[in-house]
Amino acid sequence: MRPKSTPSILAFRRRLMGWYRRHGRDLPWRRTRDPYAVLVSEFMLQQTQVSRVEQFYHRFLARFPTLQLLAEAGHGEVREAWQGLGYYRRADNLHRLAREVVEHRDGRIPAESEELVRLPGVGRYTAGAVASFAFERAEPAVDTNVERVIRRVFHPRARGAAGKRRIWETAERLVPRAGNPAWTFNQAIMELGAMVCTARVAMCEQCPVRKGCRTGGRR
Ligand code: SF4
């Protein structure tokens, strides 16, 4: 059946955030607003599944509980603490980031995504994620899960660089302006992409935003 229209921003947010409050996973990095811990989780999640990151996140933070201690560590120590996660470039970047923040920014991780994106290993997504998840800034954070959800709901024909731009613009409009709701919204849309609207299968029958979805509403 054809959806009557694209859902309004308010309806989309309400349905999505209501679903997340009932079904969102209780992940360790969702219990903190410590920017260092959030950064560690985001670096680990860049190439690794949640279940695997859960095994290594606490171990790494137990070894290097602060950004300062990570900055002071030797290259080999950091790589050793990263062992089992692979893609060691992430560990090297995180280490470089810690040193840069300690040496040039008084040990304070910036809250603005325009500043975060200048740090080693931080792309546009990670900058938005840290700004939102650590500082509750109203910033979009579009990873592959979020991109897929926005494409399927709002822009099923969006492709290429122009399509990406459009998806980011929509993400900016979707994020609530206030801090805590912005945090919840970004976690919720990411969760929907990971658990319901997945790359492998779109479980539209159980999707909270099906009404009006330009992909699922037609099924
Ligand atoms: S209705 Fe289907 S396609 Fe649309 S967001 Fe939900 S799971 Fe994805």
Side-chain angles (χ1 to χ4, degrees):
M1 194 176 68
R2 245 177 113 79
K4 285 198 183 85
S5 63
T6 306
S8 76
I9 284 179
L10 286 179
F12 180 80
R13 277 184 198 151
R14 185 169 35 77
R15 290 177 193 139
L16 179 67
M17 289 160 77
W19 168 83
Y20 176 74
R21 287 190 188 100
R22 290 191 301 280
H23 300 287
R25 288 168 294 174
D26 177 23
L27 301 173
W29 44 90
R30 287 180 175 163
R31 284 183 228 140
T32 182
R33 298 291 187 276
D34 172 6
Y36 169 61
V38 170
L39 252 177
V40 169
S41 70
E42 287 299 334
F43 270 65
M44 288 184 171
L45 288 163
Q46 276 172 10
Q47 317 264 355
T48 307
Q49 287 186 336
V50 164
S51 55
R52 196 149 174 75
V53 170
E54 275 185 291
Q55 299 167 31
F56 293 94
Y57 171 76
H58 292 297
R59 191 186 78 179
F60 190 89
L61 286 177
R63 182 85 182 269
F64 303 115
T66 65
L67 186 85
Q68 178 80 38
L69 287 169
L70 179 62
E72 287 166 8
H75 180 70
E77 284 176 273
V78 177
R79 283 197 155 217
E80 199 186 305
W82 199 267
Q83 227 163 47
L85 272 167
Y87 298 99
Y88 284 89
R89 199 153 158 229
R90 293 176 297 172
D92 298 343
N93 279 334
L94 185 61
H95 193 202
R96 280 174 48 223
L97 181 154
R99 288 187 165 172
E100 192 173 315
V101 170
V102 167
E103 280 166 31
H104 303 294
R105 294 176 181 267
D106 268 346
R108 275 199 289 274
I109 295 168
E112 299 74 29
S113 54
E114 312 84 69
E115 290 298 313
L116 283 157
V117 83
R118 295 175 187 200
L119 297 172
V122 176
R124 191 176 178 191
Y125 159 73
T126 304
V130 174
S132 170
F133 298 150
F135 299 101
E136 298 195 348
R137 296 291 169 107
E139 297 271 356
V142 182
D143 68 353
T144 51
N145 283 331
V146 174
E147 187 178 324
R148 183 172 57 254
V149 171
I150 294 179
R151 175 179 291 111
R152 286 176 177 169
V153 175
F154 295 95
H155 309 298
R157 293 203 190 93
R159 294 286 179 272
K164 246 186 203 317
R165 251 196 323 277
R166 209 159 167 221
I167 286 168
W168 270 92
E169 282 162 14
T170 297
E172 264 163 35
R173 288 208 310 277
L174 289 172
V175 177
R177 291 299 105 201
N180 192 263
W183 183 98
T184 306
F185 175 85
N186 279 331
Q187 294 285 5
I189 193 165
M190 226 167 259
E191 191 77 345
L192 191 79
M195 306 303 287
V196 177
C197 190
T198 70
R200 211 165 41 85
V201 56
M203 292 177 249
C204 304
E205 290 72 27
Q206 32 183 296
C207 179
V209 298
R210 182 176 186 183
K211 199 170 171 199
C213 171
R214 287 189 164 174
T215 303
R218 291 170 198 258
R219 288 179 181 165

